[in-house]
Amino acid sequence: MTESSTTDLFGLDSSRMHAILLTLEEGIQLWDADGRLVYVNPASCLQFGDDAHSGMGCHWTAFVRRCATEAGEPCDEGCFPIGEALAGIAIPASLLLQIGRGAEVIWLRVNARPLTDATGAIVGAVSSTVDVSQLIAQEQRLKLQAHFDILTGLPNRVLFSDRLDQALAHARRHREDLAVCMLDLDGFKLVNDRFGHPSGDLLLKQVARRLHESLRGDDTAARLGGDEFALLIGDLKTSGQCEQVVKRILEAVGAPYVIEGTEVCITASVGVTLFPGDTVDPDQLLRHADQAMYKAKQAGKNRFSIFDPTLESRARANFGLVRKIEDALERREFALYYQPKVDCRAGRVVGLEALIRWNHPVLGLRMPGEFLPLVENEDVIVSIGDWVIAEALRQQASLRAAGHELTISVNIAARQLVHREFAERLEAVLSAGGRDRLEIEILESAALEDISTVSSLITSFQQRGIRFALDDFGTGYSSLVHLKRLGADVLKIDQTFVRDMLDDPGDLAIVQGVVGLAGAFRRDVVAEGVEDMEHVRMLLAVGCDVMQGYGISRPLPAESLRWWLDAFTPDPLWLSMPPNMTH
Amino acid sequence: MDTSAPLVWNDSLMTGVPDIDEQHRILVHSLTEARAKLADETSPDVLEAITQDLLAYALYHFETEEALMHETGYSAAGGADARQHLAEHRDFSAQVVAMRSNLKAGIHVAPDVLLGFLNNWLAKHIMHTDKRFAAYMLGRADR
């Protein structure tokens, strides 16, 4: 069909219409009521090539190929505007139609309107097509720019954050380790200053290529800006594997570059954090990797450092605990419990050991073993020691008023004894009359380094009537040296030996040994951890008369202590023991 | 000795309460780290350091959980579950303290015993005890 062969198109003179449409750059097509192509203008022929003429008389569906909405979403022929116009839709939405023209791919924007006769019946449709290929190409370029760094072609921050989300989801699903790394070049500014920015850019491009080549296909290297890169390394089986990859990257980046005929060397610092050891929050992972990167820089650059999440979190926890224990002292949350020491042979109470408890507002009554080790190297341990001594002496005065004259012992860590103000402070709490019957049980004496200082301190306070005991005697490595040089008055047999002495001849030998040593050095001896009558019987048999433990009394709060002391009567079974065999 | 698989952090351990999950992650990671350290060296000093860290983190973490139990009314409403929960916390601290006093007395603590105890305790406590509490809390939040 040619233009001249049709004299009438929907009541228009076709040659006149052709003349009108000749000058348009847009393609114009006319379709009859059945949807068949009946007219194309010259611009259509340019757009569609030979298809336009050979397609004359063809149904519009023959022209539909790949379509997209204006927003770029794919769509099918059901929403093609020509079909919609013929179906009576007055203003169908325009669509993008992709067609091939030789090797070229072009995009046309297609619009269509229904054509009606005087009665309003649809007699056909008119469509227009505009070549928008250049616009689409530009849009794609922009989209690319939104996700890729123009200089290096690597993913940019936006795309990296997408990939990080995906990689995290993948690692969680497959229970794999994922490394998130920040990489910063060392001294990149010097390169820029010395060779100029264009050379600096060339260097960045080469670094980017090496990063890309050092990683496996599924991993990501991105440029976040300047000389800052980020890496995602997934599918890790061990943390050692991650270290290998990072070392390989440092080597690759560190190899010399040739920039405009000059050899340039540059290194990188890398910070790594590992999921799932670290948090699931992507921003925090990046921050942690960044922190580790700064650590690598501080440690001398050209290296990597791995973020340690437990270290940070434990540091936070520990710091919080020290503060809490300081507050607890201030809020008077500590309390002393008193465990009676009884001479079972004589059948009388000879003293009390004051033991600290923490009345924790949430966790309830906590034992010293749960919280004191956490502050044993903190200043607050000294204040706790001061409070314990003062409180024990206060309790002693109140017991004395009630008719119970008893020595009270307190536990003091060896390192506290060497604290330079310890002597002054102890002096300050002792009453002027010298009526205090205080015993200081030295804990962890194995840790003592400066024995002579402590030894002279002990001697000077012994003259004031204060007694000293070596707690947990036999457990350290240098007990004998301490026994000889520290001049303590009392040896305490650790409860671990008492507990097992009935079954373990080795432990019984230690108990007998300590009793023997105490006798030889003329020291008193006290056994800890007595749980039942068998223990009492055995200890009496080996010559250790003074003992404490659950078998005699649990540590008691001050309120019930007085009641216990008033009610105390020796167990008749103790007194029925045969006389001491060893003495 | 411990026969169960070494615990590593994974989504099945999540209770759905962010603060608790974050602290559990640290606890499980501490265990992973302890495993690595003890594979390297088993001196009393290392054991002492590990158990001290555990004590500190336990005190910190148990306080978080138990404060939440009070706030959400679980301490009362949780009945036997809540009592069991507290008992497990106390048992954990008591066991760690006992191991430390053995260490101090020069009694050998086998690394496998420590690791096995931690592994089993954490797995059982997080998967069952903590999840029951979390379910209570989350159910309450929905109302």
Side-chain angles (χ1 to χ4, degrees):
Chain A
M1 179 166 84
T2 63
E3 302 85 34
S4 52
S5 68
T6 313
T7 51
D8 184 68
L9 269 172
F10 308 119
L12 286 168
D13 175 76
S14 74
S15 57
R16 274 188 66 198
M17 190 177 70
H18 191 65
I20 296 168
L21 299 178
L22 187 65
T23 56
L24 282 180
E25 280 182 28
E26 291 83 4
I28 298 288
Q29 304 85 30
L30 293 177
W31 312 82
D32 65 18
D34 295 329
R36 280 189 300 269
L37 185 60
V38 292
Y39 172 81
V40 291
N41 75 339
S44 301
C45 300
L46 284 176
Q47 289 171 351
F48 287 89
D50 292 339
D51 281 4
H53 276 290
S54 59
M56 209 51 89
C58 289
H59 193 259
W60 62 267
T61 48
F63 296 89
V64 178
R65 310 247 161 75
R66 200 176 143 207
C67 298
T69 64
E70 291 281 357
E73 303 293 324
C75 61
D76 59 23
E77 64 177 40
C79 21
F80 206 67
I82 296 167
E84 292 192 327
L86 289 169
I89 294 174
I91 306 178
S94 60
L95 272 189
L96 300 174
L97 173 67
Q98 190 192 54
I99 61 173
R101 197 167 54 195
E104 217 182 341
V105 170
I106 65 167
W107 284 93
L108 299 173
R109 172 175 291 128
V110 182
N111 263 298
R113 295 288 185 275
L115 290 172
T116 52
D117 63 11
T119 66
I122 292 171
V123 294
V126 56
S127 60
S128 72
T129 48
V130 182
D131 187 339
V132 290
S133 305
Q134 282 191 340
L135 268 173
I136 302 254
Q138 201 178 350
E139 253 175 47
Q140 276 176 343
R141 254 200 314 280
L142 281 174
K143 209 184 255 174
L144 216 61
Q145 279 171 21
H147 288 108
F148 288 89
D149 171 49
I150 305 168
L151 178 65
T152 62
L154 291 181
N156 64 9
R157 191 183 285 272
V158 176
L159 184 55
F160 181 79
S161 118
D162 255 20
R163 296 253 176 106
L164 176 53
D165 289 344
Q166 287 167 16
L168 278 172
H170 182 90
R172 286 170 74 163
R173 234 184 353 264
H174 299 277
R175 298 197 177 179
E176 286 167 0
D177 281 11
L178 171 72
V180 180
C181 316
M182 294 287 257
L183 180 148
D184 195 273
L185 296 177
D186 302 324
F188 177 68
K189 190 174 170 296
L190 290 175
V191 176
N192 263 345
D193 290 352
R194 197 168 143 210
F195 300 97
H197 283 274
S199 299
D201 284 353
L202 283 176
L203 177 65
L204 287 174
K205 279 168 94 157
Q206 293 194 28
V207 169
R209 189 175 320 130
R210 290 185 190 182
L211 288 177
H212 185 70
E213 285 165 0
S214 309
L215 293 175
R216 288 165 307 182
D218 291 342
D219 296 338
T220 299
R223 180 176 177 228
L224 301 189
D227 60 337
E228 194 184 35
F229 297 86
L231 311 172
L232 282 179
I233 307 168
D235 194 19
L236 294 167
K237 301 283 180 278
T238 62
S239 65
Q241 204 185 343
C242 164
E243 292 181 19
Q244 279 171 7
V245 178
V246 176
K247 273 182 196 152
R248 205 169 62 220
I249 287 167
L250 284 177
E251 270 170 33
V253 172
Y257 300 81
V258 177
I259 304 285
E260 290 173 337
T262 313
E263 192 176 281
V264 178
C265 281
I266 197 154
T267 57
S269 297
V270 179
V272 185
T273 190
L274 287 164
F275 175 86
D278 198 0
T279 163
V280 293
D281 177 44
D283 291 338
Q284 219 171 331
L285 282 171
L286 281 175
R287 268 200 302 280
H288 289 166
D290 208 41
Q291 279 177 31
M293 191 269 290
Y294 275 102
K295 239 174 97 184
K297 291 254 184 209
Q298 280 173 349
K301 303 177 179 170
N302 189 23
R303 69 194 63 215
F304 68 94
S305 145
I306 296 181
F307 180 79
D308 183 345
T310 36
L311 200 66
E312 198 205 49
S313 159
R314 280 195 304 237
R316 220 173 338 138
N318 282 334
F319 179 70
L321 279 173
V322 173
R323 282 287 304 277
K324 277 212 176 89
I325 291 173
E326 285 168 353
D327 289 350
L329 186 61
E330 216 160 277
R331 295 194 192 126
R332 314 185 65 81
E333 287 172 6
F334 292 118
L336 290 186
Y337 275 46
Y338 301 89
Q339 185 166 47
K341 297 179 195 174
V342 173
D343 182 332
C344 290
R345 188 170 304 279
R348 61 187 176 88
V349 182
V350 296
L352 302 166
E353 177 174 358
L355 296 160
I356 193 166
R357 298 285 185 268
W358 180 6
N359 239 318
H360 191 287
V362 175
L363 300 173
L365 204 64
R366 305 319 320 138
M367 305 293 272
E370 291 177 51
F371 61 89
L372 284 185
L374 313 181
V375 289
E376 67 189 0
N377 293 312
E378 305 291 334
D379 289 344
V380 69
I381 194 79
V382 176
S383 313
I384 292 176
D386 289 350
W387 176 83
V388 168
I389 294 175
E391 177 64 19
L393 290 176
R394 204 182 59 75
Q395 182 62 31
Q396 183 172 54
S398 124
L399 285 174
R400 182 180 298 128
H404 297 288
E405 185 69 46
L406 292 167
T407 297
I408 291 191
S409 62
V410 295
N411 292 284
I412 298 294
R415 65 172 285 277
Q416 223 178 317
L417 283 183
V418 294
H419 196 272
R420 51 197 161 73
E421 287 157 25
F422 180 81
E424 279 170 47
R425 298 155 85 118
L426 181 56
E427 195 79 52
V429 292
L430 291 176
S431 61
R435 299 179 66 193
D436 306 302
R437 295 177 60 185
L438 183 68
E439 190 172 289
I440 290 177
E441 299 195 8
I442 305 173
L443 295 175
E444 319 254 342
S445 57
L448 268 185
E449 278 161 18
D450 191 359
I451 295 182
S452 56
T453 306
V454 177
S455 168
S456 60
L457 179 137
I458 288 177
T459 313
S460 77
F461 278 101
Q462 277 171 334
Q463 285 158 10
R464 301 274 318 269
I466 310 295
R467 282 156 55 91
F468 288 83
L470 289 180
D471 195 45
D472 313 327
F473 188 77
T475 60
Y477 295 101
S478 42
S479 292
L480 284 176
V481 178
H482 290 152
L483 173 61
K484 178 168 170 282
R485 295 190 54 198
L486 283 179
D489 308 274
V490 184
L491 304 185
K492 294 197 80 172
I493 305 174
D494 191 71
Q495 54 178 326
T496 52
F497 304 123
V498 175
R499 187 185 64 204
D500 297 333
M501 69 182 173
L502 299 176
D503 307 314
D504 185 338
D507 284 334
L508 180 59
I510 290 177
V511 172
Q512 287 173 307
V514 176
V515 174
L517 277 171
F521 282 83
R522 299 182 190 291
R523 309 288 157 85
D524 291 341
V525 63
V526 179
E528 288 179 328
V530 173
E531 284 169 7
D532 53 30
M533 187 54 71
E534 286 309 303
H535 285 152
V536 176
R537 203 189 300 274
M538 179 60 84
L539 287 166
L540 286 173
V542 300
C544 178
D545 299 345
V546 180
M547 51 192 96
Q548 64 186 90
Y550 281 19
I552 290 164
S553 169
R554 290 170 173 270
L556 302 165
E559 307 85 74
S560 35
L561 175 65
R562 178 103 55 89
W563 176 86
W564 188 92
L565 289 172
D566 288 341
F568 174 80
T569 48
D571 191 321
L573 285 174
W574 300 343
L575 304 172
S576 67
M577 292 291 163
N580 185 357
M581 297 177 296
T582 55
H583 281 199
Chain B
M1 211 88 349
D2 172 45
T3 51
S4 59
L7 192 64
V8 283
W9 183 251
N10 65 72
D11 284 1
S12 77
L13 294 170
M14 303 272 264
T15 63
V17 181
D19 282 358
I20 291 182
D21 286 336
E22 182 63 17
Q23 294 185 4
H24 282 166
R25 196 174 55 73
I26 300 293
L27 273 169
V28 172
H29 193 75
S30 300
L31 169 63
T32 310
E33 211 179 57
R35 224 181 269 131
K37 263 189 211 156
L38 288 171
D40 229 35
E41 193 194 340
T42 60
S43 71
D45 284 354
V46 172
L47 286 161
E48 147 98 33
I50 288 172
T51 51
Q52 171 151 347
D53 267 354
L54 284 171
L55 277 183
Y57 213 83
L59 209 56
Y60 175 76
H61 173 59
F62 294 165
E63 182 181 340
T64 305
E65 276 193 10
E66 290 181 30
L68 278 171
M69 289 165 93
H70 283 297
E71 279 166 30
T72 58
Y74 186 69
S75 305
D81 279 353
R83 284 193 298 277
Q84 168 73 11
H85 198 145
L86 294 187
E88 285 180 24
H89 284 179
R90 299 297 169 264
D91 178 59
F92 180 88
S93 300
Q95 297 257 25
V96 176
V97 169
M99 278 189 222
R100 285 174 61 80
S101 68
N102 278 348
L103 278 175
K104 205 178 73 182
I107 297 170
H108 181 64
V109 174
D112 285 354
V113 171
L114 174 63
L115 292 175
F117 161 70
L118 293 175
N119 204 77
N120 294 342
W121 191 91
L122 277 174
K124 185 169 161 271
H125 187 75
I126 295 176
M127 291 298 280
H128 302 291
T129 315
D130 283 338
K131 282 196 174 174
R132 273 201 291 274
F133 170 43
Y136 168 86
M137 267 178 83
L138 297 173
R140 202 170 157 274
D142 285 346
R143 284 211 295 267

